[in-house]
Amino acid sequence: MNRSFARVVFALCAGCTWLAVAMAKEGAAVYTGTLGTQPIVMEIDTDKDGHIDGRYFYTKYHRDLPLGGSMQNPNGMHMSEGQDDDASKLPQIDLTRAASGNWSGTWRSPKGKTLALALQPAKLPAPAVGSDGYLQKLYASDLYEYLRLSGLTLQKDRKETFMGHTLQWWVEPQSKIALFEILDGYPDAQRQKINDALRARQWSEVSAFHACMLGNSRLGGGDYEQTVTPQLLSPNAISISVFTSYYCGGAHPDFGDAPINLDAHTAQVLTLEDVLWVGKGKPFHYIEDTGNDGSASDGQANAVSFDEYSKYRSTYLAPWLAQQLTALYPTNIKDDDCDYGDPSVWDFPSWHLTPKGISFTPSFARAMRVCEANDDWSLLPYSIVNQHPGGRHMTLP
């Protein structure tokens, strides 16, 4: 999986999200209001030169519409809706700010239809105690996305049995993003933690879908299809493949797997170093995407810097992994078009756990992304993995 893909799926995995996601920007203002008679939510970000970058959605539809424009004066703004070099083809918005901080004005279509537009700063009561944990975090960090997701519901879908566990699938109807909860096979408190983590990941994928669609409206072209496949449900670990094919505008479509790997006891993210360590000294737990406070995305502070993490991967893991896979799969490794023997493609592989071992997917440059579709031959069996235990010292599978 390419690392840009990993960053944008704002997820529970070690740096999961492809598009430079238009999530909440520091200092951006969020408003609720009406356009004509329809309720809307709008986000407006203004830079020091008065340029405006924004978006809004109708609460009935939840899909973003891009905005761009400029401040005309301290209390007036003009924006166009959509992307086109010819502004006459786009709806136009003019707003004036009152002393209360509210904005009012008009939305005008290219054909001259005019609708009243009224906005007020978004002020909402905090989510109720016991409500969805992911939404509670969004309320504090991204009010715009909170308002979108809190208006969506998941629909119950099929049930299936996997590795002795009953899985109840849920789907978000607009984005078609689906994931499951586990109904049995783990103690209730433990299972609740796992399901909370899975639900948070599902909502983050819904957000990623909408970010991709915003990129589509700004850059042209859009597609987002996701396949979720459970790989391992064991007493110690949960592993799920989340494979996404996407085109969010721009030059080329892309694809990648951003698996969910969790400690089944705590529902915390498992890093590769938690389950496999081939370096010197004590294994570390590194989550690439960290918050502004330096804490990792799974709530654990990183003990090493990215430079140290990257050095371990390139110096120890990648050469060792290339050597192991060459010995195990000499025919597969010698591909005429894809150099799987190059250690650098194993620096930051995508990986998930299976009943037989760790399945790795190499990371190639975008032009060679087809090499990542390697038919899952690059599996490192547990007979080797268990000789090099990671920081969690878990029994696998």
Side-chain angles (χ1 to χ4, degrees):
M1 176 184 70
N2 61 309
R3 288 173 59 206
S4 61
F5 174 85
R7 286 194 181 97
V8 180
V9 181
F10 15 115
L12 293 178
C13 64
C16 297
T17 159
W18 47 94
L19 167 73
V21 175
M23 294 300 289
K25 304 180 184 72
E26 185 176 355
V30 180
Y31 299 91
T32 56
T34 54
L35 200 168
T37 60
Q38 296 296 314
I40 65 169
V41 177
M42 185 177 292
E43 181 183 74
I44 297 173
D45 185 51
T46 307
D47 67 18
K48 60 183 179 61
D49 296 319
H51 300 300
I52 295 172
D53 180 33
R55 55 181 174 157
Y56 79 98
F57 63 84
Y58 291 91
T59 58
K60 183 178 180 180
Y61 302 108
H62 305 98
R63 289 284 191 96
D64 288 318
L65 296 165
L67 299 171
S70 61
M71 299 295 298
Q72 305 299 292
N73 56 63
N75 294 305
M77 68 174 74
H78 174 79
M79 296 181 289
S80 297
E81 175 191 311
Q83 288 292 121
D84 197 295
D85 292 336
D86 185 355
S88 66
K89 297 180 181 180
L90 301 174
Q92 303 295 308
I93 293 173
D94 289 284
L95 291 169
T96 301
R97 178 164 48 192
S100 63
N102 295 347
W103 293 84
S104 61
T106 58
W107 173 97
R108 186 176 68 258
S109 76
K111 294 184 178 181
K113 180 181 179 180
T114 301
L115 297 173
L117 177 56
L119 300 170
Q120 54 277 333
K123 295 180 180 178
L124 300 169
V129 176
S131 61
D132 188 287
Y134 183 75
L135 294 182
Q136 290 189 45
K137 291 180 180 179
L138 277 183
Y139 177 82
S141 63
D142 189 344
L143 189 56
Y144 182 89
E145 199 63 24
Y146 169 81
L147 288 166
R148 188 211 309 279
L149 296 187
S150 61
L152 299 175
T153 56
L154 301 177
Q155 291 184 356
K156 185 177 287 189
D157 199 38
R158 71 188 188 278
K159 280 186 179 180
E160 70 170 301
T161 300
F162 179 77
M163 296 187 73
H165 299 268
T166 305
L167 310 183
Q168 173 64 64
W169 287 82
W170 294 86
V171 61
E172 195 286 305
Q174 291 187 7
S175 63
K176 311 301 182 188
I177 297 296
L179 226 167
F180 56 82
E181 63 178 337
I182 301 171
L183 300 185
D184 52 30
Y186 295 98
D188 288 348
Q190 183 177 336
R191 185 168 52 85
Q192 185 62 53
K193 290 179 181 178
I194 295 169
N195 288 335
D196 286 346
L198 297 181
R199 181 59 52 84
R201 176 62 182 266
Q202 184 169 10
W203 281 127
S204 75
E205 293 290 347
V206 173
S207 290
F209 165 85
H210 283 285
C212 184
M213 294 303 102
L214 178 59
N216 161 35
S217 62
R218 283 179 165 161
L219 301 172
D223 187 42
Y224 194 95
E225 296 183 4
Q226 192 168 90
T227 301
V228 175
T229 308
Q231 298 288 348
L232 180 71
L233 302 180
S234 78
N236 294 319
I238 308 290
S239 200
I240 305 164
S241 167
V242 182
F243 185 87
T244 309
S245 297
Y246 54 93
Y247 178 50
C248 305
H252 304 287
D254 211 341
F255 64 87
D257 193 15
I260 301 169
N261 296 303
L262 301 176
D263 183 318
H265 300 282
T266 64
Q268 290 181 324
V269 173
L270 285 176
T271 69
L272 185 56
E273 290 71 34
D274 289 331
V275 296
L276 174 70
W277 178 257
V278 296
K280 297 179 180 179
K282 184 179 178 180
F284 53 72
H285 173 94
Y286 185 88
I287 298 290
E288 184 175 344
D289 279 352
T290 57
N292 293 330
D293 60 355
S295 61
S297 61
D298 67 347
Q300 302 178 58
N302 288 323
V304 297
S305 67
F306 174 76
D307 287 344
E308 293 172 289
Y309 164 67
S310 180
K311 183 177 180 180
Y312 160 75
R313 287 295 187 95
S314 62
T315 303
Y316 295 101
L317 175 71
W320 181 87
L321 188 55
Q323 182 183 46
Q324 297 298 319
L325 296 175
T326 298
L328 289 165
Y329 311 102
T331 301
N332 302 86
I333 210 85
K334 295 178 180 178
D335 188 286
D336 291 337
D337 300 314
C338 306
D339 188 2
Y340 294 116
D342 177 6
S344 68
V345 305
W346 304 104
D347 280 350
F348 299 99
S350 170
W351 64 279
H352 62 259
L353 302 170
T354 77
K356 296 182 178 180
I358 303 178
S359 177
F360 290 94
T361 301
S363 177
F364 283 83
R366 189 184 188 97
M368 298 292 291
R369 190 79 79 240
V370 66
C371 293
E372 295 182 16
N374 63 352
D375 298 324
D376 295 328
W377 59 261
S378 46
L379 183 138
L380 191 68
Y382 287 124
S383 59
I384 296 176
V385 173
N386 290 333
Q387 296 176 40
H388 305 273
R392 297 290 177 100
H393 294 282
M394 13 175 65
T395 300
L396 295 171

